[in-house]
Amino acid sequence: GAGVSQTPSNKVTEKGKYVELRCDPISGHTALYWYRQSLGQGPEFLIYFQGTGAADDSGLPNDRFFAVRPEGSVSTLKIQRTERGDSAVYLCASSSSGGRETQYFGPGTRLLVL
Amino acid sequence: SQQGEEDPQALSIQEGENATMNCSYKTSINNLQWYRQNSGRGLVHLILIRSNEREKHSGRLRVTLDTSKKSSSLLITASRAADTASYFCATDGSGSGSRLTFGEGTQLTVNP
């Protein structure tokens, strides 16, 4: 079946602008994760959803970052007042139930803030 | 913050040789996973090893886990040019819920 998809593939924006990044998890997966990866680094956890609720948002760097998953499927990561330091690849992953099992990753969205 | 550390940071070998990458971590874990990443984009899951397992195989991949030393190794046998990628270990810590904590990765280059 289809894997995790993310849109857009690439996003270029200007400092101070608002951006939304979308993630479509594998159908039926209740757990969804967002990670951020800077150049030359491993991914870093941002937030984890179990169904519609954020079960763990402790990785969000500050209050400019927010994520939603209103119907328990598609998720949107929202970044307000973007800064150049927000430039990174944003990765989404899903797993069937969130119980310490394999997480399947999407291709990522490469965000560049000018 | 990064829990894991991969060793080496970069590895260059010839096609047909074996490649060994190591990962160390700091806290107790439930399981450890290895992922592969091409060109800084999506990660492909390779293998998951649970804390009560010591070794696991999948095709040309062999993963070991030593929880007493808090370390794991990934062996790729008979490497191919197509194995060129970055390889990451990720841990699912016993106190961290379902989040994965990644190391900084090993960049493997397999020369034809």
Side-chain angles (χ1 to χ4, degrees):
Chain A
V4 178
S5 62
Q6 293 185 246
T7 55
S9 298
N10 296 280
K11 176 71 177 178
V12 180
T13 191
E14 293 179 344
K15 181 173 177 294
K17 299 289 188 184
Y18 167 83
V19 296
E20 290 190 351
L21 311 179
R22 177 188 166 109
C23 172
D24 277 90
I26 293 171
S27 178
H29 279 192
T30 62
L32 184 146
Y33 308 81
W34 284 98
Y35 294 84
R36 178 169 74 170
Q37 186 177 25
S38 300
L39 192 63
Q41 303 290 317
E44 291 190 312
F45 170 79
L46 295 176
I47 187 170
Y48 154 52
F49 286 91
Q50 183 59 257
T52 60
D56 181 358
D57 65 357
S58 61
L60 295 177
N62 51 59
D63 61 6
R64 295 187 298 104
F65 288 74
F66 189 70
V68 295
R69 195 185 185 202
E71 297 177 358
S73 179
V74 170
S75 176
T76 305
L77 178 66
K78 308 180 181 193
I79 311 174
Q80 298 178 323
R81 305 183 304 281
T82 52
E83 299 177 357
R84 292 196 179 89
D86 298 334
S87 296
V89 175
Y90 289 81
L91 295 162
C92 177
S94 71
S95 67
S96 62
S97 66
R100 308 185 186 289
E101 57 206 3
T102 298
Q103 294 182 21
Y104 298 92
F105 282 79
T109 293
R110 189 180 302 276
L111 175 66
L112 178 61
V113 182
L114 300 176
Chain B
S1 63
Q2 300 288 338
Q3 162 162 245
E5 293 182 1
E6 274 95 342
D7 165 42
Q9 289 188 325
L11 179 62
S12 182
I13 60 175
Q14 295 300 123
E15 230 174 4
E17 294 180 339
N18 295 340
T20 299
M21 289 161 271
N22 302 297
C23 165
S24 60
Y25 56 91
K26 296 186 177 76
T27 64
S28 60
I29 62 171
N30 291 296
N31 62 56
L32 184 145
Q33 304 185 47
W34 283 91
Y35 286 86
R36 164 200 166 117
Q37 185 177 45
N38 289 78
S39 305
R41 298 310 291 261
L43 289 99
V44 175
H45 181 260
L46 296 176
I47 200 162
L48 180 152
I49 186 165
R50 302 200 184 277
S51 59
N52 61 354
E53 297 176 311
R54 292 296 166 258
E55 188 170 312
K56 211 160 180 181
H57 297 254
S58 176
R60 294 184 295 115
L61 305 180
R62 172 177 169 253
V63 168
T64 62
L65 178 64
D66 186 336
T67 52
S68 67
K69 294 181 180 177
K70 291 188 168 59
S71 68
S72 174
S73 68
L74 171 66
L75 168 67
I76 304 175
T77 60
S79 64
R80 305 166 182 166
D83 294 329
T84 295
S86 292
Y87 291 83
F88 294 90
C89 69
T91 54
D92 175 0
S94 59
S96 62
S98 296
R99 63 160 68 180
L100 293 179
T101 302
F102 287 82
E104 295 190 354
T106 292
Q107 173 60 49
L108 173 66
T109 302
V110 181
N111 301 298

